[in-house]
Amino acid sequence: QVQLQESGPGLVKPSGTLSLTCAVSGGSISSSNWWSWIRQPPGKGLEWIGEIYHSGSTNYNPSLKSRVTISVDKSKNQFSLKLSSVTAADTAVYYCARSPAATYYMDVWGKGTTVTVSS
Amino acid sequence: EIVMTQSPATLSVSPGERATLSCRASQSVSSNLAWYQQKPGQAPRLLIYGASTRATGIPARFSGSGSGTEFTLTISSLQSEDFAVYYCQQYNNWPGVTFGPGTKVDIK
């Protein structure tokens, strides 16, 4: 079955850019699914960041849109997140997830990766 | 943006008892509502989608109901592994899904 694995630096300096990658295994990123990033600050709830389709179409959370870029690399079967101008408020566990074709709930999640913004 | 609220924030239940969790949307989301379970240090797990359809492998003791703005997740007989935080999520207003703040179910 499809599995997702996040990777990237665990520590980012304030005003820097957070960069994460989600590797998709057990299935093709070019299937009819949307691929999302969601985050969870320590002790808090879930916040949807944005999503991408294998064609490159994206949708972003309006509250983060000016700082977020999500891209796809079909040759590597992975997708990526870049979040610029980070502050301590961006410290969170970052999850990647899949939404099945023509639906927008998340049925497969990665285990998550913790990113801390600190100097 | 559709705002999701959940109540109660914490629910204390004894093993074997029934748990009823509520989720409300600030405007109608039809039946485009999902429930997730999250245990400490783990990713969320999809329980229910379409307000009432159990995801693959989810035990029958979990059931969802509701439509429009009012939704309920019921756990008919709590097992030890069910103590966790539960989130609802609307996906009617796509793009732009939103989650509720969560209900923590702990041991009474």
Side-chain angles (χ1 to χ4, degrees), chain A residues 42-66:
Chain A
K44 296 188 178 181
L46 301 163
E47 179 180 35
W48 177 76
I49 299 170
E51 62 189 355
I52 192 164
Y53 196 65
H54 63 79
S55 64
S57 294
T58 54
N59 296 298
Y60 299 131
N61 186 325
S63 69
L64 298 169
K65 187 174 183 177
S66 63

Side-chain angles (χ1 to χ4, degrees), chain A residues 40 51 59 95 104 106 110, chain B residues 36 38 42-43 87 89 94-95:
Chain A
Q40 185 171 37
E51 62 189 355
N59 296 298
Y95 297 100
Y104 305 102
M106 290 82 176
Chain B
Y36 300 86
Q38 187 179 35
Q42 295 185 18
Y87 294 96
Q89 175 224 339
W94 181 84

